[in-house]
């Protein structure tokens, strides 16, 4: 298993230069998926983000089209 870096909302906000509030209200609801980009350890309320998965999401080509199967169509 690869080593993953877990970040709190505040730590992620500093890295990607978005406010923690924007991350909680918009990115978590519309762009980031629990179990893929973040996790709630021990079944708790605290959310930890997986930095390597966030980086992958940010590096996706802007001209790509996401497919229902989870793949990407490069126009």
């Amino acid at each position: 298993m690869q080593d993953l870096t877990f970040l709190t909302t505040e730590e992620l906000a500093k890295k990607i230069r978005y406010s923690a509030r924007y991350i909680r209200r918009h990115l978590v609801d519309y762009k980031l998926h629990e179990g893929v980009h973040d996790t709630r350890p021990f079944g708790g309320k605290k959310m930890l983000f997986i930095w390597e998965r966030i980086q992958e999401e940010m590096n996706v080509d802007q001209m790509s089209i996401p497919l229902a199967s989870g793949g990407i169509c490069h126009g």
Side-chain angles (χ1 to χ4, degrees):
M1 181 175 174
Q2 66 183 31
D3 292 328
L4 298 174
T5 306
F6 295 96
L7 303 173
T8 64
T9 306
E10 290 75 20
E11 291 169 332
L12 178 62
K14 288 179 185 176
K15 280 190 174 276
I16 65 172
R17 299 179 188 230
Y18 280 87
S19 71
R21 181 179 177 183
Y22 181 83
I23 291 169
R24 283 190 290 271
R25 291 192 175 190
H26 298 283
L27 294 182
V28 168
D29 290 339
Y30 302 108
K31 297 290 183 183
L32 305 177
H33 305 287
E34 189 169 348
V36 177
H37 301 104
D38 59 72
T39 186
R40 294 178 190 266
F42 312 111
K45 292 183 180 181
K46 186 164 188 92
M47 184 180 297
L48 294 177
F49 295 92
I50 304 168
W51 176 238
E52 290 76 12
R53 307 263 173 83
I54 302 290
Q55 283 182 306
E56 290 172 8
E57 187 71 27
M58 290 175 61
N59 290 331
V60 173
D61 182 17
Q62 296 297 322
M63 297 301 295
S64 62
I65 302 167
L67 303 173
S69 64
I72 297 174
C73 176
H74 296 284

